[in-house]
Structure formats: C-alpha cells, structure tokens
Amino acid sequence: MRKITFPHMGNLFVIAKALFEELGFEVVVPPYNNKSALEIGKRLSPEFICLPFKLNMGNFIQAIEMGADTIVIFGGCGPCRFGYYGALEKEILKDLGYDVEMIVIEPLFYGLRNFLEQVSKIFARKNIASILKRVYRLAKKVDGIERKVHFLRPREMVKGSVDKIYERFRKEALKVYGIDQMERLVDTTNVLLDNLYIVNEKVRKIGIVGEIYTIIDSFSSLNIEKILGEMGCEVERNLYISQWIDTHLIYPIFRKKDTIVKRYSKGIMPVLIGGHARETISYAIYFAAQKYDGILHIFPLTCMPEIIAKSVLNGIKNQIGVPIMHVVVDEIDSDVGIKTRLEAFLDLIEARSEKVERGLLSWD
Amino acid sequence: MKVGVPNSFCYAGMENFFIRVIPEVLEDSQIVFSGKTTKEMVEYGLKNGCDELCIPAKIFIGHVEYLIRKKNVDVLFLPRLVSVLPGTYSCPKIIGIPDIIKTNYCGVELIVPEINLRKKRKIMSEKSMKNEQLFDFPMAKIAKTKNIIVLAHSYVIFDEFLNKGILETIKSAGYNPIYPAYYRFNSFYISSDLPKGFFWSSARDIYNYFEWAVNNTQIDGVVYLMTFGCGIDSVLQELIMRKCNKVGLPYLCITVDEHCADVGIQTRIEAYLDMIEWRSKDEKNYLSTHG
C-alpha cells in the first residue's frame, strides 16, 4: 500500500486528503507549514529559489519521517519555475538518499503517454468521474468557508471566535476519512460560522493579489489575512483553490477564459508571461474598479512573473488610483514587521478616504 | 524616423538581425543602437527599475532610458521573445519586458512584434526568422588542454560591465575560457541525465553546452557566473553544481550584481585557478570536488 503525501498550500490538504483516501490510499499529511519546515527547506534548497520550493522541501522531509513513501506533485511546462519544482526536488531527495517515489503529473505538452503513465499510478480505480465531481464540490465548499471567514473576521462580536471555529475545522480535517465525512465537517463548520453574532461596523475592503502559493497559504504570507481581519478589514483574494481548478483544468476544456482577466489585461499585458502575473494585474484593476480601499500585492522573493507584475503596476498606478502595497515574503518567521507596515498602510487609506469624501484628493 | 534598439539583456547579440529586419518592417528608418553598457546607463537603470528585478533587466531599463533621453528616438523596437527555440519558453522577465517599458515610459511609441517559435507561429517574415540567424555571438575556440568553461547567459558573458573581465583574467592566467553562445546546438538534443529537459531556451542551451563539454573536451574547471536575482540561474546552478560534484570537477559560482568591484572577483578567480594548478601538480590521484 502506498503512503501518499503532497505539499501543503493553504487548505489544499483538506481536498487532497479526501481525494486520495477515496481512491484507497493511505495519506500522510505533513505537519502544517511551520518554522522547522522552513528551516529544513532553507538548508536543502538552492539559495535564490522562491519560498514555496523551500516549504515544499520541508513538507516532504517531515512527511517522509512520518512514513510517507510516495510524493504527488504537479509539473508544468514553463515559463514559471514551478514547472521545474518536481524534477529538482526529485534530484535533491535522491542525492540525500531518501527512497521515495515521486509522481510528477506533467501537462499534456510532454506527451499523452507520459501523462497517462503518471496519472494511472494514482487513478487506477473505479468510477473516477464521480469521485472527481465530488472532490470539486468539496473544493468549492472549502473555499466558501474561507470566504465566509474573511467576511466575518472584521464583523464578529466576540473577538477571536471565528478563528476558533476555523482552527477547529483545520484540526478536525486531519482526523476525518474520505469525501463524505469531510463534507459533513465542512457543513457543520458552516453552521457554526452562520450562528455567530456580528456587528455592523464600518469595514474597509482590501483586495489581495499576487502569487498563488503565497496568497493561499497563510503561513507564507505571515497571516496577513488574519491580521487585516483583526484590524477591521474585509479581505478578498483573486485566487482560491477551486478557482485554480476552474481556470487550469476546467476552462481549457471548454475553451473559456476568465472574463475579468480577459477584460482588464487588454492593452497592458496581451500575452501570458507565466505564473499569475496577468491575473495579478487585471484583478488589481478590477478591485480598484470595484471601489476597494486598498490593494495588497504579495509574492515571494525572486518570483519571476510577479516582479514583472510589480513593475507594470508601478507604471499604471495612476490609472488604478487605489493605494497598492507590495509585500515580498521570504524566509521570515516573525509577523511584527509586517504588522507595522500594514498599520501604516491602513493609516494611509484612512487619511486618504477623508480627503476623497471631501473631494480634495488629486492622485497626481 | 529614428528607431531605437537597446542592445543588452535579451536583445544582446541580435544587432545583425535587427539591421536585417527593421528596414523590412519600417520604411526609411534610421537604427540607433544604445551600444555598450556605461556607468550612466547603470545608474538610470538602478534608479528606475523595480527593486526585485535582476541586474541585466535593470541595466536594460537604463539602456532604454538612455535612448529616450540622449538619443531622442521616435520609436523603440522591442520584439517580444516568447520563445526562440522550438518547444521552449524564454524567461518570464524577457517575455514581459516590453510591457514594463510600455507602462513606465508612456510617451514613447513601441513596436512589439512577437517571436514565438514554440507554436511555430511566425509573426515576422519567414526569411529572417531562421533560428541560427537570431543571435550572433563569437564562438569560443576550444584548446587541447587547460580549458575553463564559463557558464552564464550570453548577455552576461558578453557584457563587460557584468562579467567584470572574467574572460580576460582567465586568459591572462594561461587558461583558455570557453563559453556557450546562444543556440549553436540542435535544440532537440535533450540532455540524458536530466530528470526533465529544461523549458527555458537559455537554460537548455547552457546545460547542453556544459554536458557536451564535459563529455567531449578536456576541461579543468567550471565557473558559473550567476546574476543576482535571476530565477533561471537559481535552478540551473544547483543542477550544474550537483553534476560537477558527481563528475569531480572543480566548481566555482560567482554572483555578480551592480556593485562594480572587479578586483574582488579577479582575486577569487586567481585563487581558484591556483587551486586547479596546484591540484593537477600535487594531487593526481585524489579528486576533491569543490573549489
């Protein structure tokens, strides 16, 4: 029996665990991203590689110590470095002497046969279609919880009650088995969240854009969403896990494109440059058009596409007209610095909004 | 009409290509090259580039600014190099660099044709798009013995500001520097020992050259010139280091950035070459892998 593990990315483990268990594998979920995972990753990874790679390495080593023998990860055909993650990680683990099998699911660009070979190692099971359908529904629901948490955090009556429920959900998710039980857990969490008392305060809205891993994974983004929530801001992101499934796995089948990206990237970045640079730019403009109070752009140090996005955003900041803060995350494990920066950012928004109301502000 | 072409970063070595192509696209145009990197351009670039950009890209912005300010060009010609080898991509920064220029220098008109050999879709005329004609670099001559292979992107090897005279230092110490020049190898030659072929054109080129040189020539050492902030180098350097470890080649990695301290790097190169000298003289049997 294979013992499967996979890298963490926010709540991905909830979905992946349920999927692999439903397919009949034993699943080893590595400990949540934490300081020691980052420490291991820092030691084993190339110096200038991006943060997600380092956390992946930490996850893998910790999972192997817990008994995992198979690692599943997606590949890619560029131009972002993520496409080479699997291959490089394989090489590093091999040189370290770990005897694990890595299943790297490459896109069809590298040939159908290669794809089927890798996928059949995982999906050699009955009625895949119905399982995938249920997993997709689960992913939608899990993201729904995250959205609800973002909505409730600044509005909760008893401070900290949302996070208590959310943490309990993440903890319980490690204990339940299969899609059905996971779905029931999600439903009870939803009920708990719905029954919270909320107060109607003046809530600021902040849009978060940036590189997929660092905005979805709260450890690598230094809990920015939670900090903002506690400071009374509602957060909206441009990427969720189910949205990733939509845009990368489902839309291509129907030859559909994200309408917001299509509409707002016109004239600024006509072609794909890899990663989520285009999404970052178009959603930044979109959030500004939706009258958000501020935009946060989060990306790991040396992330190639997002650096281009940052440069482009710098060029069109007059057109956007909403304050943007760029947060570059790297091997930091303290959130004090980021708290100070966020406070300053919110002060700026506060001061600016008064001027906007009185019609004094000229963005130039 | 004055057409400005910055020749650094991804457009380094494309001078002949531009001279051939621009008259085909634009009538009565006068081509203005930005020329070699100067201190002035570096300063422009550092001031106006976004902090996290890699050094070659910052210098590129400096070249553009120099063309706009000092040469008064009407149009900038910046082809979007999506892919210059079949089946590969360029680095995301190379693909996106026209967008940076477009959004940051609003007053200038840009001409951005797309060069994309990945999909076999050619925007420019067929004749000028032959692969081997895109880049034009002098090839390195391989000597019988005492070869040092210098690995880096071509825009680093041929930019005197970035390479800090490394080739000269190696030459004056009595060794023969050899280096990859873009796309001289058959692009479908996939390195056998890699778990997965690279999808970046330049990485594939560099790694293939490295592997070819290790297998077919007598080389004494490997020097990797890494640019600070380069995403491709961070992966490529690691793989080449691991390979050198296995083969038992002395390996040196130097990270170059905007600070102009040639002497420090020269000292490191000299120490490295001394070590190789000493090793070949005194320790014929024992092979240490690290420089």
Side-chain angles (χ1 to χ4, degrees):
Chain A
M1 174 74 95
R2 281 178 198 279
K3 284 188 180 171
I4 279 193
T5 190
F6 44 81
H8 267 297
M9 182 171 87
N11 284 334
L12 179 69
F13 78 98
V14 176
I15 300 150
K17 182 173 181 287
L19 169 66
F20 289 128
E21 277 171 352
E22 205 66 30
L23 290 167
F25 294 108
E26 200 172 320
V27 179
V28 180
V29 181
Y32 298 134
N33 284 336
N34 53 22
K35 274 184 196 178
S36 62
L38 186 58
E39 209 58 49
I40 295 169
K42 252 158 52 176
R43 195 155 39 84
L44 301 179
S45 315
E47 191 183 353
F48 289 113
I49 200 98
C50 31
L51 179 71
F53 186 95
K54 293 175 184 167
L55 286 171
N56 279 3
M57 282 311 292
N59 291 153
F60 292 159
I61 300 288
Q62 283 182 334
I64 289 167
E65 278 162 7
M66 286 163 71
D69 60 7
T70 307
I71 296 169
V72 182
I73 187 174
F74 274 104
C77 55
C80 163
R81 265 178 290 182
F82 175 70
Y84 217 77
Y85 269 29
L88 188 57
E89 281 160 355
K90 203 184 208 169
E91 198 79 342
I92 292 175
L93 288 174
K94 205 171 75 191
D95 284 357
L96 286 169
Y98 287 109
D99 179 32
V100 285
E101 185 179 1
M102 278 197 79
I103 300 178
V104 186
I105 303 175
E106 300 285 0
L108 292 174
F109 178 74
Y110 288 104
L112 186 65
R113 208 168 129 218
N114 177 27
F115 177 75
L116 290 179
E117 211 172 274
Q118 296 297 318
V119 163
S120 64
K121 287 181 187 165
I122 312 170
F123 292 108
R125 290 269 147 187
K126 71 276 156 180
N127 65 14
I128 304 161
S130 91
I131 291 178
L132 288 182
K133 211 169 135 196
R134 279 156 66 209
V135 163
Y136 179 66
R137 201 172 62 200
L138 179 69
K140 281 269 179 229
K141 276 190 176 177
V142 172
D143 288 339
I145 285 196
E146 223 168 322
R147 281 207 171 91
K148 206 171 268 176
V149 166
H150 291 159
F151 177 81
L152 289 173
R153 253 192 207 130
R155 295 183 172 86
E156 63 193 350
M157 192 118 119
V158 185
K159 291 289 163 208
S161 46
V162 172
D163 276 309
K164 237 178 233 166
I165 296 168
Y166 187 52
E167 283 311 312
R168 181 187 159 276
F169 161 70
R170 275 170 69 96
K171 243 180 236 153
E172 289 293 314
L174 291 175
K175 292 175 197 157
V176 299
Y177 186 90
I179 295 176
D180 285 335
Q181 289 189 18
M182 196 67 84
E183 218 164 353
R184 232 166 291 145
L185 175 68
V186 172
D187 289 339
T188 43
T189 312
N190 255 330
V191 172
L192 285 175
L193 287 174
D194 285 340
N195 284 325
L196 279 178
Y197 284 106
I198 57 170
V199 278
N200 242 343
E201 278 176 23
K202 198 179 167 199
V203 171
R204 298 233 169 270
K205 279 180 116 179
I206 305 284
I208 295 186
V209 293
E211 196 271 333
I212 176 163
Y213 190 98
T214 41
I215 61 174
I216 287 182
D217 188 79
S218 57
F219 174 77
S220 56
S221 68
L222 305 161
N223 278 322
I224 277 182
E225 287 166 352
K226 194 177 160 200
I227 297 172
L228 280 173
E230 284 162 359
M231 288 175 180
C233 293
E234 188 190 334
V235 174
E236 173 67 298
R237 288 204 307 247
N238 72 335
L239 275 166
Y240 290 88
I241 294 168
S242 62
Q243 216 168 335
W244 185 88
I245 299 174
D246 281 345
T247 49
H248 288 81
L249 306 177
I250 295 179
Y251 285 179
I253 299 174
F254 300 111
R255 300 196 177 276
K256 224 168 98 181
K257 279 192 183 122
D258 192 328
T259 45
I260 293 171
V261 175
K262 210 166 143 189
R263 182 171 161 201
Y264 287 99
S265 68
K266 208 185 282 169
I268 295 170
M269 189 173 277
V271 301
L272 189 84
I273 69 159
H276 288 90
R278 245 171 119 192
E279 278 83 348
T280 298
I281 294 166
S282 20
Y283 272 91
I285 305 172
Y286 168 74
F287 284 145
Q290 298 288 312
K291 300 267 182 294
Y292 275 57
D293 295 286
I295 294 164
L296 269 182
H297 179 204
I298 309 175
F299 61 97
L301 188 72
T302 74
C303 174
M304 302 192 277
E306 292 302 324
I307 290 172
I308 297 291
K310 183 187 167 185
S311 303
V312 170
L313 285 177
N314 267 340
I316 55 171
K317 61 183 175 220
N318 286 357
Q319 186 190 331
I320 291 176
V322 166
I324 302 181
M325 183 167 114
H326 302 276
V327 180
V328 185
V329 290
D330 196 24
E331 305 157 352
I332 328 158
D333 47 19
S334 142
D335 57 1
V336 182
I338 205 73
K339 246 180 200 161
T340 320
R341 282 184 69 192
L342 286 176
E343 272 164 12
F345 184 60
L346 292 180
D347 281 349
L348 169 89
I349 290 172
E350 199 72 30
R352 189 174 170 271
S353 72
E354 280 168 22
K355 285 180 189 161
V356 169
E357 276 157 25
R358 284 188 284 151
L360 283 177
L361 193 81
S362 143
W363 190 251
D364 298 325
Chain B
M1 191 162 49
K2 271 183 167 178
V3 184
V5 179
N7 33 14
S8 79
F9 200 33
C10 45
Y11 307 119
M14 288 177 81
E15 288 85 358
N16 291 336
F17 173 78
F18 285 134
I19 290 169
R20 270 202 317 275
V21 160
I22 290 178
E24 280 181 34
V25 185
L26 300 166
E27 278 178 11
D28 33 279
S29 53
Q30 178 201 349
I31 305 174
V32 183
F33 287 113
S34 63
K36 279 185 178 161
T37 308
T38 59
K39 198 92 197 239
E40 188 190 16
M41 293 176 188
V42 178
E43 266 160 29
Y44 284 149
L46 292 182
K47 216 195 275 168
N48 295 322
C50 141
D51 293 340
E52 285 82 13
L53 276 175
C54 58
I55 303 308
K58 280 187 193 170
I59 292 177
F60 174 83
I61 291 177
H63 276 261
V64 169
E65 181 133 350
Y66 169 79
L67 282 173
I68 295 169
R69 277 201 193 183
K70 296 287 161 75
K71 296 285 181 185
N72 293 321
V73 292
D74 306 310
V75 175
L76 281 173
F77 191 78
L78 305 173
R80 193 190 292 278
L81 305 177
V82 177
S83 168
V84 290
L85 269 186
T88 62
Y89 271 118
S90 300
C91 150
K93 281 177 198 153
I94 293 178
I95 305 177
I97 205 113
D99 297 327
I100 296 188
I101 305 297
K102 185 169 61 192
T103 47
N104 282 283
Y105 297 93
C106 295
V108 191
E109 202 185 324
L110 289 188
I111 296 177
V112 188
E114 188 180 315
I115 297 183
N116 190 346
L117 297 181
R118 186 183 172 82
K119 290 181 191 155
K120 305 215 168 71
R121 181 167 56 121
K122 293 166 185 169
I123 303 292
M124 289 164 138
S125 70
E126 293 272 334
K127 208 176 75 193
S128 51
M129 283 301 305
K130 284 265 174 62
N131 204 6
E132 55 274 12
Q133 286 173 318
L134 259 184
F135 294 93
D136 200 17
F137 286 116
M139 280 286 272
K141 288 198 182 65
I142 298 169
K144 280 256 159 61
T145 51
K146 288 200 156 189
N147 286 317
I148 297 282
I149 181 166
V150 181
L151 296 173
H153 299 276
S154 292
Y155 50 76
V156 179
I157 292 179
F158 296 102
D159 187 329
E160 270 155 37
F161 176 82
L162 280 169
N163 69 21
K164 322 270 191 213
I166 273 182
L167 301 180
E168 287 307 309
T169 316
I170 292 174
K171 251 181 225 161
S172 61
Y175 283 86
N176 179 37
I178 57 173
Y179 45 79
Y182 269 140
Y183 321 125
R184 297 286 177 170
F185 286 87
N186 185 354
S187 55
F188 295 104
Y189 163 63
I190 309 278
S191 325
S192 52
D193 68 331
L194 276 183
K196 173 184 177 182
F198 276 107
F199 42 69
W200 296 300
S201 337
S202 53
R204 187 178 278 195
D205 186 53
I206 294 169
Y207 197 89
N208 285 357
Y209 188 81
F210 165 71
E211 204 183 66
W212 174 82
V214 166
N215 293 335
N216 297 306
T217 55
Q218 177 65 44
I219 54 173
D220 288 341
V222 180
V223 177
Y224 197 103
L225 276 183
M226 191 169 164
T227 41
F228 185 81
C230 177
I232 293 178
D233 280 352
S234 66
V235 175
L236 186 61
Q237 192 265 127
E238 182 79 12
L239 285 165
I240 286 177
M241 188 183 74
R242 281 169 194 274
K243 180 84 198 262
C244 284
N245 256 330
K246 277 179 206 147
V247 188
L249 270 173
Y251 175 78
L252 175 72
C253 174
I254 294 178
T255 311
V256 291
D257 61 7
E258 64 260 50
H259 304 298
C260 247
D262 304 11
V263 188
I265 286 176
Q266 276 168 18
T267 317
R268 283 185 67 191
I269 294 277
E270 276 160 15
Y272 174 72
L273 294 177
D274 281 350
M275 187 274 302
I276 292 174
E277 194 90 354
W278 175 81
R279 199 182 88 164
S280 65
K281 220 167 46 207
D282 297 336
E283 290 199 23
K284 288 234 164 65
N285 300 325
Y286 170 68
L287 290 177
S288 154
T289 49
H290 269 282

